mmCIF file of all heavy atoms in Angstrom:
data_model
loop_
_atom_site.group_PDB
_atom_site.id
_atom_site.type_symbol
_atom_site.label_atom_id
_atom_site.label_comp_id
_atom_site.label_asym_id
_atom_site.label_seq_id
_atom_site.Cartn_x
_atom_site.Cartn_y
_atom_site.Cartn_z
ATOM 1 N N ALA A 17 0.802 -1.216 -0.017
ATOM 2 C CA ALA A 17 0.029 0.092 -0.038
ATOM 3 C C ALA A 17 0.796 1.279 -0.045
ATOM 4 O O ALA A 17 1.972 1.335 0.661
ATOM 5 C CB ALA A 17 -0.902 0.066 1.160
ATOM 6 N N TYR A 18 0.330 2.193 -0.770
ATOM 7 C CA TYR A 18 1.042 3.486 -0.713
ATOM 8 C C TYR A 18 -0.056 4.591 -0.417
ATOM 9 O O TYR A 18 -1.099 4.593 -1.143
ATOM 10 C CB TYR A 18 1.740 3.941 -2.115
ATOM 11 C CG TYR A 18 3.067 3.224 -2.232
ATOM 12 C CD1 TYR A 18 2.950 1.844 -2.875
ATOM 13 C CD2 TYR A 18 4.155 3.601 -1.939
ATOM 14 C CE1 TYR A 18 4.200 1.177 -3.074
ATOM 15 C CE2 TYR A 18 5.353 2.962 -2.040
ATOM 16 C CZ TYR A 18 5.399 1.724 -2.611
ATOM 17 O OH TYR A 18 6.497 1.087 -2.850
ATOM 18 N N PHE A 19 0.160 5.389 0.668
ATOM 19 C CA PHE A 19 -0.799 6.313 1.177
ATOM 20 C C PHE A 19 -0.392 7.682 0.778
ATOM 21 O O PHE A 19 0.781 7.982 0.836
ATOM 22 C CB PHE A 19 -1.145 6.162 2.606
ATOM 23 C CG PHE A 19 -1.749 4.702 3.011
ATOM 24 C CD1 PHE A 19 -0.830 3.719 3.473
ATOM 25 C CD2 PHE A 19 -3.000 4.547 2.755
ATOM 26 C CE1 PHE A 19 -1.361 2.379 3.659
ATOM 27 C CE2 PHE A 19 -3.527 3.193 3.059
ATOM 28 C CZ PHE A 19 -2.650 2.195 3.566
ATOM 29 N N GLU A 20 -1.425 8.521 0.753
ATOM 30 C CA GLU A 20 -1.150 9.982 0.660
ATOM 31 C C GLU A 20 -0.518 10.493 1.823
ATOM 32 O O GLU A 20 -0.832 10.290 2.928
ATOM 33 C CB GLU A 20 -2.475 10.691 0.430
ATOM 34 C CG GLU A 20 -2.284 12.202 0.188
ATOM 35 C CD GLU A 20 -3.643 12.936 -0.051
ATOM 36 O OE1 GLU A 20 -4.581 12.586 0.601
ATOM 37 O OE2 GLU A 20 -3.635 13.875 -0.803
ATOM 38 N N ASP A 21 0.635 11.326 1.546
ATOM 39 C CA ASP A 21 1.315 12.040 2.616
ATOM 40 C C ASP A 21 0.419 13.109 3.195
ATOM 41 O O ASP A 21 0.090 14.086 2.514
ATOM 42 C CB ASP A 21 2.567 12.523 2.121
ATOM 43 C CG ASP A 21 3.361 13.368 3.050
ATOM 44 O OD1 ASP A 21 3.113 13.231 4.239
ATOM 45 O OD2 ASP A 21 4.305 14.127 2.704
ATOM 46 N N SER A 22 0.100 12.931 4.449
ATOM 47 C CA SER A 22 -0.805 13.871 5.024
ATOM 48 C C SER A 22 -0.044 15.036 5.846
ATOM 49 O O SER A 22 -0.621 15.802 6.585
ATOM 50 C CB SER A 22 -1.864 13.205 6.015
ATOM 51 O OG SER A 22 -1.125 12.499 6.892
ATOM 52 N N ASN A 23 1.261 14.930 5.761
ATOM 53 C CA ASN A 23 2.079 15.941 6.541
ATOM 54 C C ASN A 23 2.541 16.967 5.592
ATOM 55 O O ASN A 23 3.584 17.312 5.392
ATOM 56 C CB ASN A 23 3.410 15.072 7.038
ATOM 57 C CG ASN A 23 4.205 15.990 8.013
ATOM 58 O OD1 ASN A 23 3.600 16.908 8.570
ATOM 59 N ND2 ASN A 23 5.378 15.631 8.102
ATOM 60 N N ASN A 24 1.444 17.772 5.230
ATOM 61 C CA ASN A 24 1.756 18.855 4.330
ATOM 62 C C ASN A 24 1.771 20.175 5.216
ATOM 63 O O ASN A 24 0.664 20.483 5.861
ATOM 64 C CB ASN A 24 0.571 18.998 3.244
ATOM 65 C CG ASN A 24 0.878 20.140 2.222
ATOM 66 O OD1 ASN A 24 1.401 21.097 2.467
ATOM 67 N ND2 ASN A 24 0.507 19.645 0.995
ATOM 68 N N PRO A 25 2.825 20.784 5.208
ATOM 69 C CA PRO A 25 3.048 22.158 6.117
ATOM 70 C C PRO A 25 2.121 23.227 5.742
ATOM 71 O O PRO A 25 2.002 24.215 6.451
ATOM 72 C CB PRO A 25 4.533 22.478 5.877
ATOM 73 C CG PRO A 25 4.908 21.859 4.531
ATOM 74 C CD PRO A 25 4.124 20.736 4.362
ATOM 75 N N TYR A 26 1.434 23.249 4.562
ATOM 76 C CA TYR A 26 0.566 24.351 4.145
ATOM 77 C C TYR A 26 -0.828 24.077 4.463
ATOM 78 O O TYR A 26 -1.693 24.909 4.100
ATOM 79 C CB TYR A 26 0.823 24.513 2.506
ATOM 80 C CG TYR A 26 2.149 24.944 2.266
ATOM 81 C CD1 TYR A 26 2.951 23.948 1.554
ATOM 82 C CD2 TYR A 26 2.689 26.137 2.468
ATOM 83 C CE1 TYR A 26 4.283 24.276 1.228
ATOM 84 C CE2 TYR A 26 4.049 26.542 2.194
ATOM 85 C CZ TYR A 26 4.760 25.575 1.494
ATOM 86 O OH TYR A 26 6.072 26.003 1.204
ATOM 87 N N ILE A 27 -1.331 22.898 5.022
ATOM 88 C CA ILE A 27 -2.659 22.695 5.234
ATOM 89 C C ILE A 27 -3.361 23.788 6.174
ATOM 90 O O ILE A 27 -4.323 24.214 5.847
ATOM 91 C CB ILE A 27 -2.813 21.237 5.902
ATOM 92 C CG1 ILE A 27 -2.480 20.162 4.791
ATOM 93 C CG2 ILE A 27 -4.242 21.105 6.470
ATOM 94 C CD1 ILE A 27 -3.462 19.222 4.550
ATOM 95 N N GLY A 28 -2.697 24.030 7.310
ATOM 96 C CA GLY A 28 -3.296 25.012 8.216
ATOM 97 C C GLY A 28 -3.476 26.405 7.487
ATOM 98 O O GLY A 28 -4.416 27.043 7.671
ATOM 99 N N ASP A 29 -2.372 26.802 6.876
ATOM 100 C CA ASP A 29 -2.442 28.128 6.160
ATOM 101 C C ASP A 29 -3.468 28.070 5.042
ATOM 102 O O ASP A 29 -4.144 29.030 4.922
ATOM 103 C CB ASP A 29 -1.024 28.439 5.466
ATOM 104 C CG ASP A 29 0.159 28.670 6.449
ATOM 105 O OD1 ASP A 29 -0.196 29.171 7.578
ATOM 106 O OD2 ASP A 29 1.238 28.268 6.181
ATOM 107 N N PHE A 30 -3.543 27.022 4.442
ATOM 108 C CA PHE A 30 -4.589 26.801 3.249
ATOM 109 C C PHE A 30 -5.960 27.152 3.795
ATOM 110 O O PHE A 30 -6.766 27.792 3.170
ATOM 111 C CB PHE A 30 -4.483 25.381 2.662
ATOM 112 C CG PHE A 30 -5.533 25.162 1.613
ATOM 113 C CD1 PHE A 30 -5.663 25.780 0.352
ATOM 114 C CD2 PHE A 30 -6.521 24.253 2.055
ATOM 115 C CE1 PHE A 30 -6.692 25.485 -0.519
ATOM 116 C CE2 PHE A 30 -7.590 23.936 1.076
ATOM 117 C CZ PHE A 30 -7.649 24.568 -0.221
ATOM 118 N N TYR A 31 -6.322 26.407 4.848
ATOM 119 C CA TYR A 31 -7.698 26.546 5.454
ATOM 120 C C TYR A 31 -7.907 27.975 6.082
ATOM 121 O O TYR A 31 -9.026 28.448 6.150
ATOM 122 C CB TYR A 31 -7.946 25.593 6.487
ATOM 123 C CG TYR A 31 -8.240 24.269 5.783
ATOM 124 C CD1 TYR A 31 -7.469 23.133 5.865
ATOM 125 C CD2 TYR A 31 -9.456 24.223 5.049
ATOM 126 C CE1 TYR A 31 -7.676 22.005 5.133
ATOM 127 C CE2 TYR A 31 -9.747 22.825 4.158
ATOM 128 C CZ TYR A 31 -8.877 21.867 4.326
ATOM 129 O OH TYR A 31 -9.055 20.597 3.735
ATOM 130 N N GLU A 32 -6.893 28.776 6.300
ATOM 131 C CA GLU A 32 -6.932 30.041 6.857
ATOM 132 C C GLU A 32 -7.131 31.075 5.679
ATOM 133 O O GLU A 32 -7.878 32.087 5.894
ATOM 134 C CB GLU A 32 -5.680 30.537 7.594
ATOM 135 C CG GLU A 32 -5.437 29.847 8.855
ATOM 136 C CD GLU A 32 -6.268 30.325 9.989
ATOM 137 O OE1 GLU A 32 -6.660 31.592 10.065
ATOM 138 O OE2 GLU A 32 -6.823 29.331 10.764
ATOM 139 N N ASP A 33 -6.477 30.810 4.579
ATOM 140 C CA ASP A 33 -6.486 31.733 3.395
ATOM 141 C C ASP A 33 -6.380 30.867 2.040
ATOM 142 O O ASP A 33 -5.181 30.752 1.671
ATOM 143 C CB ASP A 33 -5.575 32.838 3.534
ATOM 144 C CG ASP A 33 -5.728 33.852 2.410
ATOM 145 O OD1 ASP A 33 -6.433 33.648 1.439
ATOM 146 O OD2 ASP A 33 -4.913 34.880 2.562
ATOM 147 N N MET A 34 -7.446 30.273 1.567
ATOM 148 C CA MET A 34 -7.381 29.358 0.483
ATOM 149 C C MET A 34 -6.836 29.975 -0.766
ATOM 150 O O MET A 34 -5.891 29.408 -1.439
ATOM 151 C CB MET A 34 -8.647 28.758 0.266
ATOM 152 C CG MET A 34 -9.000 27.819 1.298
ATOM 153 S SD MET A 34 -10.643 27.044 0.720
ATOM 154 C CE MET A 34 -10.935 26.097 2.174
ATOM 155 N N ASN A 35 -7.110 31.322 -1.080
ATOM 156 C CA ASN A 35 -6.577 32.003 -2.238
ATOM 157 C C ASN A 35 -5.128 32.104 -2.129
ATOM 158 O O ASN A 35 -4.503 32.005 -3.206
ATOM 159 C CB ASN A 35 -7.279 33.300 -2.402
ATOM 160 C CG ASN A 35 -8.800 33.109 -2.855
ATOM 161 O OD1 ASN A 35 -9.148 32.252 -3.559
ATOM 162 N ND2 ASN A 35 -9.544 34.182 -2.530
ATOM 163 N N ARG A 36 -4.591 32.447 -0.969
ATOM 164 C CA ARG A 36 -3.078 32.729 -0.902
ATOM 165 C C ARG A 36 -2.233 31.452 -0.925
ATOM 166 O O ARG A 36 -1.258 31.433 -1.483
ATOM 167 C CB ARG A 36 -2.951 33.488 0.370
ATOM 168 C CG ARG A 36 -1.427 33.493 1.003
ATOM 169 C CD ARG A 36 -0.498 34.186 -0.105
ATOM 170 N NE ARG A 36 0.891 34.116 0.378
ATOM 171 C CZ ARG A 36 1.714 33.248 -0.041
ATOM 172 N NH1 ARG A 36 1.395 32.262 -0.592
ATOM 173 N NH2 ARG A 36 2.938 33.376 0.511
ATOM 174 N N TRP A 37 -2.768 30.343 -0.374
ATOM 175 C CA TRP A 37 -1.901 29.203 -0.045
ATOM 176 C C TRP A 37 -2.376 27.987 -0.935
ATOM 177 O O TRP A 37 -1.691 26.906 -0.783
ATOM 178 C CB TRP A 37 -2.049 28.668 1.450
ATOM 179 C CG TRP A 37 -1.421 29.794 2.242
ATOM 180 C CD1 TRP A 37 -2.005 30.740 2.981
ATOM 181 C CD2 TRP A 37 -0.145 29.993 2.504
ATOM 182 N NE1 TRP A 37 -1.137 31.561 3.767
ATOM 183 C CE2 TRP A 37 0.086 31.218 3.260
ATOM 184 C CE3 TRP A 37 1.081 29.511 1.950
ATOM 185 C CZ2 TRP A 37 1.312 31.674 3.722
ATOM 186 C CZ3 TRP A 37 2.342 29.957 2.272
ATOM 187 C CH2 TRP A 37 2.479 31.087 3.135
ATOM 188 N N SER A 38 -3.403 28.073 -1.836
ATOM 189 C CA SER A 38 -3.736 26.911 -2.605
ATOM 190 C C SER A 38 -2.588 26.344 -3.492
ATOM 191 O O SER A 38 -2.399 25.162 -3.623
ATOM 192 C CB SER A 38 -4.955 27.130 -3.322
ATOM 193 O OG SER A 38 -4.808 28.299 -4.274
ATOM 194 N N PHE A 39 -1.822 27.344 -4.172
ATOM 195 C CA PHE A 39 -0.711 26.796 -5.061
ATOM 196 C C PHE A 39 0.368 26.149 -4.273
ATOM 197 O O PHE A 39 0.762 25.171 -4.692
ATOM 198 C CB PHE A 39 -0.185 28.114 -5.764
ATOM 199 C CG PHE A 39 0.951 27.778 -6.779
ATOM 200 C CD1 PHE A 39 0.681 27.157 -7.917
ATOM 201 C CD2 PHE A 39 2.346 27.976 -6.365
ATOM 202 C CE1 PHE A 39 1.756 26.856 -8.745
ATOM 203 C CE2 PHE A 39 3.307 27.526 -7.232
ATOM 204 C CZ PHE A 39 3.037 27.056 -8.446
ATOM 205 N N ASN A 40 0.693 26.665 -3.065
ATOM 206 C CA ASN A 40 1.758 26.005 -2.316
ATOM 207 C C ASN A 40 1.387 24.712 -1.853
ATOM 208 O O ASN A 40 2.193 23.731 -1.906
ATOM 209 C CB ASN A 40 2.072 26.938 -1.193
ATOM 210 C CG ASN A 40 2.563 28.345 -1.374
ATOM 211 O OD1 ASN A 40 1.770 29.150 -1.932
ATOM 212 N ND2 ASN A 40 3.802 28.542 -1.233
ATOM 213 N N LEU A 41 0.114 24.573 -1.476
ATOM 214 C CA LEU A 41 -0.363 23.269 -0.957
ATOM 215 C C LEU A 41 -0.301 22.241 -2.090
ATOM 216 O O LEU A 41 0.110 21.126 -1.963
ATOM 217 C CB LEU A 41 -1.841 23.344 -0.541
ATOM 218 C CG LEU A 41 -2.678 22.145 -0.173
ATOM 219 C CD1 LEU A 41 -2.329 21.943 1.389
ATOM 220 C CD2 LEU A 41 -4.033 22.331 -0.313
ATOM 221 N N GLN A 42 -0.746 22.637 -3.288
ATOM 222 C CA GLN A 42 -0.801 21.675 -4.411
ATOM 223 C C GLN A 42 0.471 21.259 -4.927
ATOM 224 O O GLN A 42 0.679 20.151 -5.322
ATOM 225 C CB GLN A 42 -1.759 22.292 -5.507
ATOM 226 C CG GLN A 42 -3.171 22.259 -5.318
ATOM 227 C CD GLN A 42 -3.761 20.921 -4.950
ATOM 228 O OE1 GLN A 42 -3.424 19.940 -5.624
ATOM 229 N NE2 GLN A 42 -4.599 20.838 -3.999
ATOM 230 N N VAL A 43 1.449 22.315 -4.914
ATOM 231 C CA VAL A 43 2.764 21.926 -5.355
ATOM 232 C C VAL A 43 3.482 20.928 -4.336
ATOM 233 O O VAL A 43 4.166 19.980 -4.753
ATOM 234 C CB VAL A 43 3.625 23.159 -5.518
ATOM 235 C CG1 VAL A 43 5.156 22.912 -5.685
ATOM 236 C CG2 VAL A 43 3.127 23.980 -6.752
ATOM 237 N N HIS A 44 3.156 21.147 -3.189
ATOM 238 C CA HIS A 44 3.736 20.333 -2.117
ATOM 239 C C HIS A 44 3.138 18.793 -2.247
ATOM 240 O O HIS A 44 3.804 17.834 -2.309
ATOM 241 C CB HIS A 44 3.473 20.762 -0.691
ATOM 242 C CG HIS A 44 4.145 19.865 0.331
ATOM 243 N ND1 HIS A 44 3.592 18.721 0.905
ATOM 244 C CD2 HIS A 44 5.383 20.068 0.975
ATOM 245 C CE1 HIS A 44 4.453 18.284 1.684
ATOM 246 N NE2 HIS A 44 5.438 19.023 1.906
ATOM 247 N N PHE A 45 1.946 18.685 -2.535
ATOM 248 C CA PHE A 45 1.191 17.487 -2.720
ATOM 249 C C PHE A 45 1.710 16.902 -4.036
ATOM 250 O O PHE A 45 2.064 15.585 -4.018
ATOM 251 C CB PHE A 45 -0.324 17.631 -2.813
ATOM 252 C CG PHE A 45 -1.180 17.510 -1.524
ATOM 253 C CD1 PHE A 45 -2.084 18.530 -1.375
ATOM 254 C CD2 PHE A 45 -0.736 16.622 -0.586
ATOM 255 C CE1 PHE A 45 -2.679 18.464 -0.131
ATOM 256 C CE2 PHE A 45 -1.485 16.515 0.593
ATOM 257 C CZ PHE A 45 -2.453 17.611 0.795
ATOM 258 N N LEU A 46 1.972 17.640 -5.137
ATOM 259 C CA LEU A 46 2.447 17.072 -6.414
ATOM 260 C C LEU A 46 3.910 16.549 -6.160
ATOM 261 O O LEU A 46 4.183 15.419 -6.561
ATOM 262 C CB LEU A 46 2.435 18.108 -7.494
ATOM 263 C CG LEU A 46 3.148 17.593 -8.698
ATOM 264 C CD1 LEU A 46 2.299 16.532 -9.411
ATOM 265 C CD2 LEU A 46 3.100 18.890 -9.780
ATOM 266 N N ALA A 47 4.737 17.282 -5.565
ATOM 267 C CA ALA A 47 6.086 16.805 -5.220
ATOM 268 C C ALA A 47 6.069 15.490 -4.357
ATOM 269 O O ALA A 47 6.928 14.524 -4.727
ATOM 270 C CB ALA A 47 6.973 17.847 -4.470
ATOM 271 N N SER A 48 5.276 15.499 -3.489
ATOM 272 C CA SER A 48 5.138 14.266 -2.572
ATOM 273 C C SER A 48 4.710 13.007 -3.424
ATOM 274 O O SER A 48 5.190 11.923 -3.248
ATOM 275 C CB SER A 48 4.092 14.533 -1.416
ATOM 276 O OG SER A 48 3.843 13.381 -0.680
ATOM 277 N N ARG A 49 3.594 13.315 -4.316
ATOM 278 C CA ARG A 49 3.197 12.212 -5.106
ATOM 279 C C ARG A 49 4.176 11.758 -6.153
ATOM 280 O O ARG A 49 4.293 10.543 -6.494
ATOM 281 C CB ARG A 49 1.939 12.526 -5.776
ATOM 282 C CG ARG A 49 0.788 12.665 -4.701
ATOM 283 C CD ARG A 49 -0.435 13.207 -5.359
ATOM 284 N NE ARG A 49 -1.413 13.454 -4.304
ATOM 285 C CZ ARG A 49 -2.372 14.228 -4.139
ATOM 286 N NH1 ARG A 49 -2.484 15.207 -5.201
ATOM 287 N NH2 ARG A 49 -3.218 14.329 -3.256
ATOM 288 N N ILE A 50 4.940 12.606 -6.685
ATOM 289 C CA ILE A 50 6.115 12.233 -7.623
ATOM 290 C C ILE A 50 7.095 11.432 -6.889
ATOM 291 O O ILE A 50 7.581 10.444 -7.282
ATOM 292 C CB ILE A 50 6.624 13.481 -8.151
ATOM 293 C CG1 ILE A 50 5.738 14.132 -9.326
ATOM 294 C CG2 ILE A 50 8.037 13.128 -8.871
ATOM 295 C CD1 ILE A 50 6.137 15.474 -9.743
ATOM 296 N N ARG A 51 7.510 11.812 -5.607
ATOM 297 C CA ARG A 51 8.396 11.025 -4.906
ATOM 298 C C ARG A 51 7.867 9.672 -4.559
ATOM 299 O O ARG A 51 8.651 8.544 -4.739
ATOM 300 C CB ARG A 51 8.790 11.701 -3.407
ATOM 301 C CG ARG A 51 9.833 12.854 -3.517
ATOM 302 C CD ARG A 51 10.315 13.322 -2.217
ATOM 303 N NE ARG A 51 9.309 13.772 -1.498
ATOM 304 C CZ ARG A 51 8.807 15.063 -1.473
ATOM 305 N NH1 ARG A 51 9.282 15.825 -2.241
ATOM 306 N NH2 ARG A 51 7.803 15.425 -0.599
ATOM 307 N N GLN A 52 6.538 9.600 -4.267
ATOM 308 C CA GLN A 52 5.972 8.248 -4.035
ATOM 309 C C GLN A 52 5.950 7.410 -5.282
ATOM 310 O O GLN A 52 6.193 6.245 -5.124
ATOM 311 C CB GLN A 52 4.472 8.497 -3.488
ATOM 312 C CG GLN A 52 3.877 7.065 -3.037
ATOM 313 C CD GLN A 52 2.397 7.386 -2.574
ATOM 314 O OE1 GLN A 52 1.594 7.653 -3.352
ATOM 315 N NE2 GLN A 52 2.225 7.398 -1.214
ATOM 316 N N THR A 53 5.634 8.030 -6.370
ATOM 317 C CA THR A 53 5.654 7.344 -7.719
ATOM 318 C C THR A 53 7.048 6.715 -7.930
ATOM 319 O O THR A 53 7.218 5.476 -8.314
ATOM 320 C CB THR A 53 5.236 8.090 -8.866
ATOM 321 O OG1 THR A 53 3.769 8.608 -8.494
ATOM 322 C CG2 THR A 53 5.110 7.389 -10.089
ATOM 323 N N MET A 54 8.088 7.529 -7.673
ATOM 324 C CA MET A 54 9.452 6.928 -7.895
ATOM 325 C C MET A 54 9.738 5.798 -6.967
ATOM 326 O O MET A 54 10.315 4.785 -7.382
ATOM 327 C CB MET A 54 10.391 8.044 -7.611
ATOM 328 C CG MET A 54 10.243 9.322 -8.682
ATOM 329 S SD MET A 54 10.234 8.793 -10.425
ATOM 330 C CE MET A 54 12.090 8.262 -10.590
ATOM 331 N N ASP A 55 9.259 5.947 -5.739
ATOM 332 C CA ASP A 55 9.524 4.793 -4.787
ATOM 333 C C ASP A 55 8.697 3.560 -5.190
ATOM 334 O O ASP A 55 9.302 2.590 -5.115
ATOM 335 C CB ASP A 55 8.998 5.275 -3.244
ATOM 336 C CG ASP A 55 9.878 6.327 -2.694
ATOM 337 O OD1 ASP A 55 11.013 6.545 -3.160
ATOM 338 O OD2 ASP A 55 9.238 6.909 -1.730
ATOM 339 N N MET A 56 7.616 3.685 -5.707
ATOM 340 C CA MET A 56 6.783 2.563 -6.158
ATOM 341 C C MET A 56 7.546 1.816 -7.340
ATOM 342 O O MET A 56 7.525 0.692 -7.351
ATOM 343 C CB MET A 56 5.347 3.024 -6.594
ATOM 344 C CG MET A 56 4.345 3.368 -5.533
ATOM 345 S SD MET A 56 2.811 3.963 -5.976
ATOM 346 C CE MET A 56 2.569 3.655 -7.704
ATOM 347 N N LEU A 57 8.037 2.728 -8.207
ATOM 348 C CA LEU A 57 8.758 2.030 -9.357
ATOM 349 C C LEU A 57 9.945 1.369 -8.929
ATOM 350 O O LEU A 57 10.368 0.361 -9.425
ATOM 351 C CB LEU A 57 9.079 3.141 -10.438
ATOM 352 C CG LEU A 57 7.907 3.730 -11.143
ATOM 353 C CD1 LEU A 57 8.356 5.045 -11.881
ATOM 354 C CD2 LEU A 57 7.310 2.729 -12.055
ATOM 355 N N ALA A 58 10.710 1.980 -7.904
ATOM 356 C CA ALA A 58 11.867 1.341 -7.404
ATOM 357 C C ALA A 58 11.689 0.070 -6.507
ATOM 358 O O ALA A 58 12.414 -0.750 -6.441
ATOM 359 C CB ALA A 58 12.652 2.343 -6.684
ATOM 360 N N ASP A 59 10.521 0.033 -6.020
ATOM 361 C CA ASP A 59 10.022 -0.994 -5.086
ATOM 362 C C ASP A 59 10.025 -2.407 -5.771
ATOM 363 O O ASP A 59 10.521 -3.413 -5.220
ATOM 364 C CB ASP A 59 8.751 -0.693 -4.318
ATOM 365 C CG ASP A 59 8.315 -1.689 -3.380
ATOM 366 O OD1 ASP A 59 9.124 -2.524 -2.905
ATOM 367 O OD2 ASP A 59 7.092 -1.769 -2.973
ATOM 368 N N GLY A 60 9.432 -2.392 -6.937
ATOM 369 C CA GLY A 60 9.345 -3.673 -7.602
ATOM 370 C C GLY A 60 8.234 -4.620 -7.177
ATOM 371 O O GLY A 60 8.092 -5.671 -7.671
ATOM 372 N N SER A 61 7.288 -4.063 -6.309
ATOM 373 C CA SER A 61 6.146 -5.048 -5.914
ATOM 374 C C SER A 61 5.144 -5.168 -7.126
ATOM 375 O O SER A 61 5.006 -4.306 -7.879
ATOM 376 C CB SER A 61 5.459 -4.281 -4.727
ATOM 377 O OG SER A 61 6.269 -4.249 -3.557
#
């Protein structure tokens, strides 16, 4: 199993001001998902 990384440092800021922090939040999620995809490919499961 590979789960979404819920440790995003922008979550709190995002819920305080969505217009300001939505880009940062999404870029962090994207980077995390790319790292996870690379780990999945290397894992060989």
Side-chain angles (χ1 to χ4, degrees):
Y18 286 90
F19 297 97
E20 179 179 36
D21 178 15
S22 60
N23 191 22
N24 188 321
Y26 298 104
I27 292 234
D29 294 327
F30 171 73
Y31 284 112
E32 292 285 324
D33 185 353
M34 292 182 182
N35 287 331
R36 164 62 182 93
W37 294 103
S38 59
F39 180 77
N40 301 67
L41 179 85
Q42 288 302 319
V43 168
H44 188 275
F45 275 134
L46 178 61
S48 171
R49 290 178 184 143
I50 289 171
R51 278 191 301 274
Q52 185 180 74
T53 300
M54 298 304 291
D55 290 344
M56 284 176 15
L57 291 171
D59 180 20
S61 294

